[in-house]
């Protein structure tokens, strides 16, 4: 006789590769990926703040690294990840509030996340270069 | 009573809940709402400081009305990213020992980020250098 503790054989959900990518799914994955990138990137912020507190000599070292091409590339990626996660987070808050579940709205918000994050990243860097 | 006679609810009853209910979900939402204005503030500060030398960076970060919200940025972000990484670990790591070690490392990392960031800002604000 079947044991009550044996797991019921339920159908398994197909894995990510099986589905054709759709914008809401891609944005969902990007939200997690940008979150993980920001997690690591926060070490950079702590390092920068610590350098500012440590004094001019050490700050110059950190500043030189951040101003190098690799430093700028990391900061550019950090900016985009931050803005993407910010806009994606707002989209999730709208959903949490119970709005925007119909497909046209959900898709529009997803496209707004990716396009908005790209436009805002360029805008932030444009302003940055102007004030520099 | 034999196991077969018990309903699924009967088997689950008494084993206890995770005990924190929607607490994790709620804290993730509270920190995310707080981070919306904080991230905008953070971006304005760092953009304004693009290419600035140490004297200007230190002067800006040590001003009270910059330092206080910057500390909030660091603290709320540290809390938010701890909750987020916790979910990622729980989603993908199922073996108990690696899972709990990673969860501990997550807490340690986020606490370190928060402590370093806030200490640096306090030093600047209180004029340590």
């Amino acid at each position: 006789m079947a044991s009550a503790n044996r797991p019921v054989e339920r159908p398994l959900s197909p894995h990510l590769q099986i589905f054709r990518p759709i914008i809401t799914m891609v944005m969902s994955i990007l939200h997690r990926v940008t979150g993980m990138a920001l997690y690591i990137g926060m070490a950079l912020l702590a390092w920068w703040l610590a350098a500012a507190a440590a004094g001019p000599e050490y700050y110059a070292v950190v500043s030189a690294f951040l101003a190098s091409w690799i430093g700028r590339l990391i900061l550019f990626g950090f900016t985009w990840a931050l803005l993407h996660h910010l806009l994606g987070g707002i989209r999730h808050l709208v959903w949490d509030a119970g709005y925007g579940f119909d497909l046209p709205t959900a898709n529009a918000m997803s496209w707004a996340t990716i396009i908005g994050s790209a436009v805002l990243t360029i805008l932030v860097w444009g302003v940055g270069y102007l004030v520099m | 009573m034999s196991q077969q006679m018990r309903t699924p609810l009967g088997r689950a009853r008494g084993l206890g809940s995770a005990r924190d209910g929607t607490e994790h979900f709620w804290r993730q939402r509270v920190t995310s709402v707080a981070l919306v204005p904080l991230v905008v503030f953070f971006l304005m500060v760092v953009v304004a400081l693009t290419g600035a030398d140490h004297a200007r960076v230190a002067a800006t970060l040590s001003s009270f009305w910059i330092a206080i919200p910057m500390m909030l940025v660091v603290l709320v972000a540290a809390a938010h990213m701890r909750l987020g990484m916790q979910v990622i670990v729980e989603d993908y790591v199922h073996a108990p020992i690696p899972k709990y070690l990673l969860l501990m490392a997550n807490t340690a990392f986020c606490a370190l980020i928060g402590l370093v960031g806030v200490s640096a800002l306090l030093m600047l604000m209180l004029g340590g250098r």
Side-chain angles (χ1 to χ4, degrees):
Chain A
M1 201 170 175
S3 162
N5 286 329
R6 203 182 66 185
V8 182
E9 285 196 22
R10 295 191 177 88
L12 292 170
S13 171
H15 283 289
L16 285 179
Q17 315 89 281
I18 305 297
F19 294 112
R20 183 171 52 88
I22 54 172
I23 188 67
T24 43
M25 163 185 159
V26 175
M27 288 308 106
S28 172
I29 294 167
L30 276 181
H31 197 70
R32 180 161 282 197
V33 170
T34 52
M36 289 197 281
L38 292 168
Y39 186 93
I40 314 227
M42 278 298 286
L44 212 60
L45 172 61
W47 187 41
W48 178 68
L49 289 173
E57 298 83 20
Y58 190 63
Y59 187 80
V61 175
V62 177
S63 192
F65 170 73
L66 293 177
S68 70
W69 71 266
I70 182 93
R72 280 179 208 220
L73 192 69
I74 293 171
L75 287 180
F76 189 79
F78 185 86
T79 312
W80 174 73
L82 185 62
L83 287 164
H84 192 277
H85 203 79
L86 174 70
L87 295 181
I90 292 170
R91 185 171 46 102
H92 274 289
L93 289 172
V94 171
W95 279 332
D96 290 337
Y99 300 100
F101 286 110
D102 61 293
L103 270 182
T105 311
N107 287 337
M109 286 199 296
S110 300
W111 281 110
T113 304
I114 186 78
I115 295 167
S117 65
V119 170
L120 284 174
T121 302
I122 292 163
L123 197 74
V124 164
W125 277 69
V127 175
Y129 274 104
L130 280 179
V131 301
M132 195 162 75
Chain B
M1 194 195 292
S2 74
Q3 278 292 309
Q4 292 95 311
M5 295 291 285
R6 303 184 68 195
T7 62
L9 180 64
R11 283 201 304 275
R13 201 169 258 162
L15 292 176
S17 68
R19 296 192 184 278
D20 54 17
T22 55
E23 196 59 35
H24 186 284
F25 176 91
W26 180 244
R27 273 191 277 165
Q28 190 76 299
R29 280 2 178 235
V30 171
T31 51
S32 65
V33 170
L35 280 168
V36 173
L38 288 174
V39 164
V40 173
F41 164 83
F42 167 75
L43 278 171
M44 291 197 306
V45 171
V46 290
V47 165
L49 289 176
T50 312
D53 60 1
H54 178 262
R56 195 155 75 80
V57 170
T60 305
L61 291 179
S62 61
S63 94
F64 186 82
W65 293 112
I66 301 286
I68 295 292
M70 274 301 256
M71 281 186 234
L72 272 178
V73 169
V74 173
L75 283 176
V76 181
H80 183 81
M81 67 196 228
R82 176 172 172 263
L83 294 168
M85 188 55 79
Q86 184 193 336
V87 172
I88 292 172
V89 170
E90 287 167 351
D91 274 358
Y92 303 130
V93 185
H94 302 299
I97 290 175
K99 180 172 85 174
Y100 288 115
L101 286 178
L102 280 173
L103 289 175
M104 288 177 198
N106 177 37
T107 301
F109 179 78
C110 297
L112 193 68
I113 295 287
L115 267 177
V116 169
V118 169
S119 310
L121 285 160
L122 276 176
M123 276 174 72
L124 285 161
M125 189 173 84
L126 303 176
R129 303 267 166 157

